[in-house]
Amino acid sequence: MLKPRYQTKQIFIGNVPIGGGAPISVQSMTFTKTADIESTKKQIDRLHFAGADIVRVAVSDQNDAKALKELKKVSSLPIVADIHFRHRFALIAAESVDAIRINPGNIGTKERIKAVAQACNQRNLPIRIGVNSGSLEKQFDKKYGPTPKGMVESALYNIKLLEDFGFENIKISLKASDVERTIEAYRMLRPLVDYPFHLGVTEAGTIFHSMIKSSMALGNLLMEGIGDTMRISITGELEEEIKVARAILRYSGGQKDGITIISCPTCGRIEANLVDAVKEVEKRLAHIKTPLNVSVMGCAVNALGEAKHADIAIAFGNHEGLIIKEGEILCKLPENKILDTFIMEVEKLALKRSKQEQ
């Protein structure tokens, strides 16, 4: 059984609530030079249309920092400024963005962190304490190495530091590049603080490797009630990060909206071009936000049983197929006509359920 979400403080990044029972939000990060406002805006818009809730942008130099004010004016998403090494860029960013992310391991002295906290307090901006296993402060790296314990001790140290400066508008991430350390670190820290958590596996690799690592790490944590916002790190296209994140949320019980497709594995009993059929169903129903279980089965062996548990289903067989809707056989059609009818019936069912929920 899914465990209930940990109750955390709620913060806001722009108009997006994080923690405190709010829906788990999805983030990504642009890879343009932030100073190139036009190109960065295009990537932000792509993420917006893909379903992202928040975007993070890199602030690598003075030009990036100065561009944030204009970028904020044209951004379709709340902006988090990602700051490493140079705290003065955080001070500039705090004048216009919606949140700041700092890595305590490389931001510098207490005085610098205090200055960032004061600047964020003035505009009620959250700070994400972004702990990475590969860049811990020297004292924690020397004592613990790049371990979950070292990551947790770094987070606790920096939380107290901000609290001592009168700053509590905090969220926390504890990222490693492997599943085991990521899970252990978040599990270890969760009972010790009530700040919201940003989940992620850092440097997760290409889509194949990232999907596996992220599904294992974030899926486990979400099913344990841990996590308030998340990013899937993929060496690849921006939209894929959002697509994978939404799927992990759906299958771990962290998000209820959208289509869940049930389809059988390929085998010798299949009596239709099942692979292409499932791809077409997935593509043509991607716009639906109403939660529905949709079954596409290639033969009669499991089809009728699965249909009982699905909201709507196709059961292929002998160049024709059945459409089964809400447990009742709706019609039998030739294979070359059934998909169009099926898509229409799914859309009708989604509209019906949507009206019932209102």
Side-chain angles (χ1 to χ4, degrees):
M1 292 182 63
L2 296 177
K3 293 184 179 180
R5 291 260 305 277
Y6 275 84
Q7 289 300 305
T8 66
K9 291 183 177 180
Q10 187 169 89
I11 65 171
F12 280 82
I13 297 179
N15 60 356
V16 178
I18 309 292
I24 298 167
S25 56
V26 172
Q27 308 186 23
S28 185
M29 186 173 182
T30 58
F31 55 79
T32 52
K33 294 294 183 183
T34 301
D36 183 347
I37 294 174
E38 183 178 354
S39 297
T40 305
K41 179 188 182 303
K42 287 180 180 178
Q43 290 198 352
I44 292 173
D45 288 343
R46 284 170 56 189
L47 288 167
H48 171 73
F49 288 118
D53 302 299
I54 299 164
V55 66
R56 184 157 46 109
V57 299
V59 183
S60 302
D61 55 31
Q62 191 84 2
N63 291 331
D64 287 343
K66 290 182 176 179
L68 291 171
K69 185 175 182 180
E70 292 304 313
L71 182 63
K72 174 59 184 169
K73 292 178 182 178
V74 298
S75 177
S76 52
L77 293 172
I79 295 176
V80 179
D82 191 71
I83 312 292
H84 291 268
F85 302 111
R86 296 174 178 84
H87 85 292
R88 68 180 185 276
F89 296 161
L91 303 181
I92 297 170
E95 296 174 2
S96 55
V97 299
D98 300 288
I100 302 290
R101 186 264 181 164
I102 59 173
N103 183 336
N106 63 37
I107 201 67
T109 63
K110 292 181 181 180
E111 289 72 23
R112 291 179 176 180
I113 296 175
K114 181 179 181 180
V116 174
Q118 289 175 337
C120 290
N121 252 342
Q122 289 176 4
R123 291 194 58 236
N124 195 31
L125 301 183
I127 291 177
R128 173 180 147 200
I129 297 174
V131 177
N132 278 3
S133 62
S135 56
L136 296 176
E137 297 95 326
K138 290 181 180 178
Q139 65 266 37
F140 302 116
D141 191 41
K142 183 177 180 180
K143 185 173 182 180
Y144 302 106
T147 63
K149 178 66 173 176
M151 295 162 67
V152 168
E153 290 299 322
S154 171
L156 290 171
Y157 171 81
N158 286 283
I159 290 167
K160 186 177 186 308
L161 201 58
L162 288 178
E163 289 175 340
D164 288 346
F165 298 144
F167 191 92
E168 296 184 353
N169 197 355
I170 297 168
K171 67 173 177 172
I172 306 155
S173 64
L174 301 159
K175 294 188 178 183
S177 58
D178 58 85
V179 172
E180 296 88 348
R181 285 184 298 166
T182 299
I183 292 176
E184 188 175 349
Y186 282 109
R187 280 177 177 167
M188 193 181 300
L189 183 62
R190 182 69 285 172
L192 305 180
V193 298
D194 62 357
Y195 294 113
F197 278 4
H198 170 106
L199 301 185
V201 178
T202 191
E203 300 161 352
T206 60
I207 187 168
F208 174 78
H209 296 285
S210 180
M211 284 177 64
I212 295 171
K213 289 182 182 180
S214 300
S215 297
M216 293 177 69
L218 275 59
N220 268 287
L221 291 167
L222 290 167
M223 292 178 74
E224 293 176 18
I226 297 173
D228 304 284
T229 184
M230 60 190 285
R231 182 204 176 182
I232 307 301
S233 297
I234 297 175
T235 308
E237 290 300 320
L238 297 168
E239 289 86 352
E240 293 299 325
E241 292 195 356
I242 309 306
K243 184 177 179 181
V244 173
R246 293 293 177 190
I248 291 173
L249 278 174
R250 188 179 303 124
Y251 294 125
S252 63
Q255 175 180 290
K256 302 301 182 186
D257 62 325
I259 297 291
T260 297
I261 294 180
I262 304 160
S263 62
C264 55
T266 52
C267 76
R269 293 190 301 268
I270 289 177
E271 299 184 68
N273 189 343
L274 184 66
V275 174
D276 286 349
V278 172
K279 286 181 179 178
E280 185 171 351
V281 168
E282 185 175 38
K283 180 179 179 180
R284 293 175 63 180
L285 297 180
H287 64 287
I288 293 179
K289 302 303 180 186
T290 306
L292 289 176
N293 288 324
V294 174
S295 176
V296 183
M297 306 300 285
C299 77
V301 173
N302 295 318
L304 296 179
E306 289 293 345
K308 294 177 183 177
H309 304 291
D311 296 298
I312 186 166
I314 289 178
F316 284 108
N318 195 25
H319 305 294
E320 59 186 10
L322 298 175
I323 296 179
I324 303 159
K325 188 175 181 180
E326 296 182 307
E328 300 291 333
I329 295 177
L330 185 67
C331 60
K332 179 189 286 188
L333 293 170
E335 183 180 333
N336 62 352
K337 294 183 178 180
I338 195 168
L339 277 179
D340 287 340
T341 303
F342 182 69
I343 297 299
M344 181 182 67
E345 291 297 333
V346 174
E347 290 175 334
K348 286 168 59 177
L349 182 59
L351 182 62
K352 172 186 170 183
R353 295 281 179 88
S354 179
K355 288 180 178 179
Q356 289 173 345
E357 292 174 1
Q358 293 175 356

